[in-house]
C-alpha cells in the first residue's frame, strides 16, 4: 500500500519533467547545462524541503539513521554549483555564444520551462510531506540523488567535449533534433533517479 503512491507520483514527475524539457527544446532554450542545473536544483529542493518537513511526516523513512544535518549538504551543493556554472555554463560552452546565452537564461532563471519544472518539483515535495507520504530522506554526499548528479556530470562532460564540440552546428539550442539527442541520456537518468528513490 505504501509503494503505490510513490510509483504514482514518480510517473507524474517524469511526465512533467519530460514535457517541459521537450517544450524547452522546441523553443530553442535547452542545453546540457539546462539539464545538469535542473538535477542540481532538484537535489537542493529535496534537501531544503526535507530538512524542514521530515519531522512532521510520520511516514518519512530516514535512510542513514542519524540526525539530519542540512549544513553539510548545503556546503556540498555550493561546491557543485561553482563547478557546474564555471565548467558547464562557461568553459565547456566557450566559442559558442548561442549555447552560452541559453545557459545564462537558465542560470538567472529566465527560462520559463526550467522555472516551471522547478516549481513543480518544489510543490510536489511539499505535497508529499503534507500528505504524509512515505518519502525517503537521505543524509550525506552519497545518496541516489547525488549519485545521479555525479553520473549526469560525467555524461554531460562526454557530450560537451566529444559530441557538441565536434559538431557545433548540429548540437545548438535551436537545432531541435540535436537537442533531442542530447536530452535522451538525461531522461533515462531521471527515470533511474526516481526508481532508486521510490523503490
Amino acid at each position: 500500500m505504501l509503494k503505490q503512491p510513490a510509483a504514482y507520483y514518480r510517473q507524474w514527475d517524469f511526465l512533467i519533467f519530460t514535457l517541459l524539457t521537450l517544450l524547452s527544446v522546441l523553443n530553442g532554450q535547452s542545453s546540457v547545462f539546462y539539464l545538469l542545473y535542473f538535477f542540481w536544483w532538484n537535489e537542493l529542493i529535496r534537501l531544503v524541503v526535507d530538512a524542514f518537513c521530515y519531522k512532521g511526516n510520520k511516514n518519512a523513512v530516514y535512510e542513514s539513521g542519524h540526525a539530519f544535518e542540512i549544513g553539510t549538504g548545503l556546503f556540498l551543493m555550493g561546491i557543485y554549483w561553482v563547478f557546474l556554472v564555471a565548467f558547464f555554463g562557461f568553459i565547456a560552452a566557450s566559442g559558442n555564444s548561442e549555447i552560452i546565452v541559453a545557459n545564462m537564461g537558465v542560470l538567472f532563471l529566465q527560462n520559463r520551462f526550467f522555472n516551471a519544472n522547478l516549481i513543480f518539483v518544489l510543490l510536489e515535495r511539499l505535497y508529499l510531506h503534507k500528505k504524509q507520504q512515505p518519502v525517503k530522506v537521505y543524509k550525506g554526499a552519497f545518496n541516489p540523488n547525488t549519485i545521479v548528479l555525479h553520473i549526469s556530470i560525467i555524461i554531460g562532460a562526454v557530450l560537451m567535449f566529444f559530441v557538441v564540440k565536434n559538431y557545433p552546428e548540429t548540437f545548438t539550442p535551436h537545432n531541435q533534433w540535436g537537442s533531442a539527442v542530447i536530452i535522451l541520456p538525461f531522461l533515462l537518468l531521471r527515470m533511474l533517479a526516481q526508481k532508486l528513490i521510490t523503490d
Side-chain angles (χ1 to χ4, degrees):
M1 291 296 293
L2 291 180
K3 286 207 172 207
Q4 186 175 357
Y8 173 79
Y9 291 117
R10 181 177 65 193
Q11 293 170 359
W12 275 103
D13 185 276
F14 180 75
L15 178 63
I16 297 297
F17 168 73
T18 302
L19 176 62
L20 290 172
T21 302
L22 289 176
L23 286 173
S24 182
V25 168
L26 293 174
N27 284 270
Q29 298 181 27
S30 185
S31 66
V32 171
F33 179 73
Y34 174 108
L35 295 156
L36 292 174
Y37 202 46
F38 172 79
F39 284 125
W40 181 88
W41 267 106
N42 186 75
E43 171 61 7
L44 181 66
I45 289 170
R46 182 205 63 79
L47 178 69
V48 173
V49 171
D50 285 353
F52 288 100
C53 298
Y54 85 99
K55 287 185 178 179
N57 182 355
K58 64 182 180 181
N59 293 317
V61 180
Y62 190 64
E63 292 294 312
S64 70
H66 300 291
F68 192 95
E69 296 178 4
I70 190 173
T72 302
L74 290 177
F75 176 75
L76 291 171
M77 293 307 292
I79 294 175
Y80 283 129
W81 186 87
V82 172
F83 175 75
L84 289 175
V85 172
F87 188 77
F88 288 99
F90 292 98
I91 296 173
S94 62
N96 193 323
S97 59
E98 190 175 0
I99 291 179
I100 290 179
V101 169
N103 290 349
M104 293 307 95
V106 172
L107 177 63
F108 294 108
L109 302 179
Q110 299 297 309
N111 185 313
R112 63 185 183 277
F113 305 107
F114 184 83
N115 296 347
N117 242 328
L118 295 187
I119 291 170
F120 176 77
V121 169
L122 174 62
L123 294 178
E124 180 192 38
R125 197 66 179 179
L126 289 169
Y127 180 81
L128 289 175
H129 279 292
K130 182 177 177 59
K131 293 299 182 180
Q132 303 288 305
Q133 293 298 315
V135 297
K136 292 182 179 180
V137 176
Y138 297 93
K139 172 181 180 265
F142 296 101
N143 62 67
N145 288 298
T146 54
I147 290 172
V148 168
L149 181 58
H150 296 158
I151 296 172
S152 70
I153 288 172
I154 295 171
I155 292 176
V158 170
L159 289 173
M160 285 299 300
F161 288 102
F162 296 100
V163 179
V164 176
K165 284 281 189 183
N166 291 331
Y167 305 97
E169 295 180 359
T170 302
F171 297 99
T172 64
H174 287 92
N175 185 324
Q176 296 173 2
W177 288 110
S179 295
V181 170
I182 290 295
I183 70 170
L184 285 176
F186 295 97
L187 292 177
L188 294 174
L189 273 175
R190 184 69 175 160
M191 291 177 64
L192 173 62
Q194 292 173 325
K195 183 172 178 59
L196 290 172
I197 292 167
T198 55
D199 282 355

